[in-house]
Amino acid sequence: MSASAREHPTTAEPAPGGAPPEPRLVPLRAAVRALLRKELGLELRAPQAVPAMALFSVTTLVVFHFALQRGQVEGDLAAGVLWVTLLFAAMLGISRLFVADHEEGGLDGFLLAPTDRTALLVAKAVGLFAFLAAVEVIAVPAFALLLLGPAPGIGTYAQLVALLLLADAGIAVIGTLIGAIAVQTRARDLIVPLMALPLLIPVVIAGAKGTTPLLAEASGSGLPLRWPLLLGLYDLIFGLLAYALFDYLIED
Amino acid sequence: MAAPPAAIELDGLTRRYGERVALDAVTLAVPAGATLVVFGPNGAGKSTLLRVLATLLRPHAGAVRILGRELPAEGWAVRGRIGLLTHEPLVYRDLSGRENLRFHARLHGVGFGRVEALLEQVGLHRRADDRVHTYSRGMVQRLAVCRAVLHDPAVLLLDEPRANLDPAAADLVEPLIGAESGRTRVVTSHDPAGGLAEADLALGLRGGRAALVGPAAAIEPAQIGALYR
Amino acid sequence: MLYGTRLRALSIATLVTMIAALGLAFFYAPMDADQGFMQKIFYVHVPMAMVALCGFVFGGIMAIQHLRTGDARYDMRSYVAIHLSLILGVGVLLTGAIWAKASWGHWWVWDEPTLVSFLIVFLLYATYQPMRFSIEDREKQSRYASVFAIIAGAFVPLNFLAVRLAQAYTHPRVFATADGGLPAKMQLPFYLSLLGMAMLYVTLWRYEMASKNTSAKLRSLRRKLGGDEAVAPVGRTAAPTLPSA
């Protein structure tokens, strides 16, 4: 039996022999909503990922202070500190993304449901995106407080937020793919950073280069357009790839 | 008059695990509403068989048809009519019983009224809002039964369903998963006499092969015992 | 497909081509004014890099075929391709370092976007085998490896683009001349070396495929003759196991 005999949902037609015809299919949006509710509900009920990632970010900032031996950073150094901190916090989140499902059999529970498997990809990616955004709400002000020299204006913050959201989308997609791969391996926590960090280097490049002028002492030049565009391209390509490949990761 | 199509048809079903063969050319047919009891030592392939029937595993060779639909290509069409109860309850320990069932209800397009009715029927309604990690094993099993029948499946796959259930709890779930429920059932069992008593058809697996298959009336408990040697 | 045929002829042809290319590089190609003799490592470094990258992409294509058809042989082809490209990749980085030292005085420079991108790609593919090894279930291992190979394959061009954009100014590279192409006397040794490197890759690939196929057939025959017990179970390994035919 070849892998090409994967499922091809077609329009419902009566099965031979007069067996009950209409397959009851739950639409994608409903399935994603259900999964997201569970995902966010679990995190709110028993917070693990977001507090850990947020705390890790703040601790990393403190480590940077001592490692760089500076009280203040600006420009490209500031951008670097911020992006490294966020990236490493994301590694924690990615490692944990599928663990609860894997351990409590939730994945089977989903696979038994009459719904498109893509729902899981979308729900996990959106969930991770939400977690990353929540962490940034804490980490970015902490960074501004602890280490940032110049005080950016509202417009600058808005641009920074836009860049962060684009980057978060990319991290969320890659994170969902790598998280799904990693949960099946034995050395889960080791393998996630090894695989995810090289894949996320374009995000770091675009993020850091884009953020540098925003955090510079002499504010003036805004965000060069090429960096959000690069992030957008990255998100698009890996989003499509994830859509095409995710089924192969969760179906047996 | 033509015979109604079988609810489950297996034709040379084969599933490998690495280099081993977990299921080897298993062939049988289960009519609608009948109960198939599967016997066999651990590792014989009982759980694998259930997982293939649940559309969780693809057959590597051979044909599988459930309710007239061919797996895996038409798995999507028939998934909503299959219920699976395994060793793992498939519930999240940090959510309450009610939340778990509502989650599954949403995934299956089932209304919450059914959730309440089931919780009531298995006697969990008083603890429905407590987190599952506070439940006893019997309660978790009862919750898992609710989950399995939530969407009123035509085919029930039960892997040792009465594990962890005391007689009172077993009585509560019997109408949902027992023979009177009217569903086509595939049940695994380690109890030759009891298993044969509730079976219409029996399958004895050994090393993935169907060592015994046929109407339960024609099979002796001693033959089942022989599978384990 | 029989990989073992014509291996000797292929090996000899590869050896001849590579020796010819190296000879041309040493004696025929012009000496670079600034960088001196060490610049000639370019004739090894760049073809190796190009072949390695093609190998990674080929591995990705085989992975796509594997997912589409479920045929384990595609997984084997993908695995061997990536595995060999990784070995070549080590060579690329080493020769790159030597070239950097010769050209710019440091064992590593960040100015050369192609080299930097290659390092990132190398680091990514270096996780391929550990990842495979840590998934015990055979079928899952193959499937996940294919997914990874496809992701990594798509990543290669995107990564090159990103690193390029990150370098405001590219360091003048040996490719650039007044009119933008390779100067004439460099072309022959370069293309010959490229051909030789490609032949080396293909030859090594065939050797490894032949070896793995033969082992698989041997196991299959042993199993047929002696039953399941005659064959020791394959321990945990990162390499794909071909199904017994």
Side-chain angles (χ1 to χ4, degrees), chain A residues 1-3 5-26 30-35 37-38 41-42 45-46 48 100-115 117 251-252, chain B residues 5 15 51 54-64 67-84 86 88-96 99 103-110 129 131 147 151-152 154:
Chain A
M1 201 62 118
S2 70
R6 292 217 173 245
E7 305 179 304
H8 312 286
T10 57
T11 52
E13 31 181 90
E22 313 293 316
R24 184 203 302 148
L25 280 182
V26 173
V32 170
R33 257 209 305 272
L35 285 166
R37 274 180 92 125
K38 184 264 300 177
L42 267 177
R45 175 69 57 78
Q48 284 187 342
D101 301 287
H102 187 71
E103 284 174 0
E104 303 189 35
L107 202 56
D108 275 351
F110 167 74
L111 290 174
L112 290 170
T115 179
R117 274 80 175 92
E251 286 208 327
D252 261 331
Chain B
R15 169 90 192 174
R51 288 180 73 85
T55 76
L56 291 177
L57 295 177
R58 281 176 298 121
H60 285 147
V64 179
L67 299 173
R69 299 286 187 159
E70 184 98 21
L71 298 184
E74 294 181 291
W76 59 277
V78 83
R79 206 163 274 144
R81 324 206 92 84
I82 303 175
L84 176 68
T86 55
E88 285 159 49
L90 307 184
V91 291
Y92 291 95
R93 289 197 306 269
D94 282 318
L95 294 180
S96 74
E99 281 168 340
F103 167 61
H104 279 98
R106 288 192 195 99
L107 280 185
H108 284 267
V110 169
D129 285 315
R131 302 193 198 179
R147 180 199 51 72
H151 49 294
D152 200 16

Side-chain angles (χ1 to χ4, degrees), chain C residues 13-235:
Chain C
T14 304
L15 205 57
V16 165
T17 312
M18 290 198 79
I19 291 177
L22 284 176
L24 279 179
F26 282 178
F27 301 115
Y28 173 75
M31 186 79 81
D32 185 279
D34 319 300
Q35 301 169 18
F37 184 75
M38 287 315 292
Q39 179 273 335
K40 296 200 182 221
I41 201 134
F42 150 84
Y43 295 103
V44 175
H45 171 75
V46 178
M48 208 186 263
M50 292 170 84
V51 170
L53 285 174
C54 287
F56 285 137
V57 172
F58 176 67
I61 295 175
M62 289 295 103
I64 293 177
Q65 282 301 96
H66 173 243
L67 289 183
R68 285 184 59 216
T69 65
D71 188 344
R73 287 174 297 177
Y74 280 116
D75 183 40
M76 183 62 87
R77 290 179 196 138
S78 175
Y79 171 80
V80 171
I82 291 178
H83 174 216
L84 280 178
S85 283
L86 207 56
I87 295 174
L88 280 188
V90 175
V92 170
L93 291 173
L94 287 176
T95 54
I98 296 172
W99 191 21
K101 181 76 176 158
S103 307
W104 299 297
H106 300 290
W107 288 107
W108 184 262
V109 285
W110 291 101
D111 293 345
E112 181 56 56
T114 323
L115 191 59
V116 169
S117 315
F118 195 91
L119 175 65
I120 298 169
V121 165
F122 178 82
L123 287 173
L124 179 63
Y125 277 97
T127 64
Y128 178 76
Q129 254 166 313
M131 180 208 76
R132 284 195 78 123
F133 187 75
S134 66
I135 300 178
E136 292 184 333
D137 180 331
R138 276 328 162 93
E139 209 220 338
K140 214 168 252 193
Q141 187 195 96
S142 299
R143 227 173 344 118
Y144 278 44
S146 293
V147 171
F148 181 82
I150 297 170
I151 295 174
F155 173 73
V156 169
L158 198 54
N159 177 57
F160 271 71
L161 174 66
V163 174
R164 272 251 138 176
L165 286 178
Q167 314 278 2
Y169 309 100
T170 54
H171 199 97
R173 290 182 8 251
V174 78
F175 275 133
T177 58
D179 39 10
L182 265 186
K185 275 202 122 184
M186 297 173 83
Q187 278 182 18
L188 183 58
F190 177 75
Y191 288 120
L192 198 59
S193 184
L194 184 60
L195 180 65
M197 202 60 76
M199 289 172 76
L200 176 69
Y201 185 87
V202 171
T203 308
L204 287 174
W205 190 80
R206 288 180 76 113
Y207 262 111
E208 194 164 350
M209 288 297 299
S211 160
K212 293 237 155 35
N213 272 346
T214 312
S215 308
K217 286 209 176 88
L218 195 58
R219 284 182 66 82
S220 168
L221 282 173
R222 281 213 183 105
R223 179 174 283 117
K224 283 202 178 106
L225 286 175
D228 272 343
E229 300 76 36
V231 181
V234 177

Side-chain angles (χ1 to χ4, degrees), chain A residues 83-180:
Chain A
W83 283 95
V84 168
T85 305
L86 291 175
L87 201 68
F88 283 19
M91 292 300 114
L92 294 185
I94 294 172
S95 296
R96 298 216 53 86
L97 195 58
F98 282 89
V99 168
D101 301 287
H102 187 71
E103 284 174 0
E104 303 189 35
L107 202 56
D108 275 351
F110 167 74
L111 290 174
L112 290 170
T115 179
D116 197 339
R117 274 80 175 92
T118 312
L120 188 64
L121 168 67
V122 175
K124 285 288 179 185
V126 172
L128 183 54
F129 180 87
F131 294 164
L132 290 170
V135 168
E136 279 154 15
V137 166
I138 298 173
V140 174
F143 169 69
L145 189 68
L146 291 174
L147 282 178
L148 189 57
I154 292 290
T156 314
Y157 265 121
Q159 291 179 320
L160 180 62
V161 166
L163 203 61
L164 282 172
L165 291 179
L166 273 176
D168 286 347
I171 300 176
V173 167
I174 291 288
T176 304
L177 283 173
I178 298 296

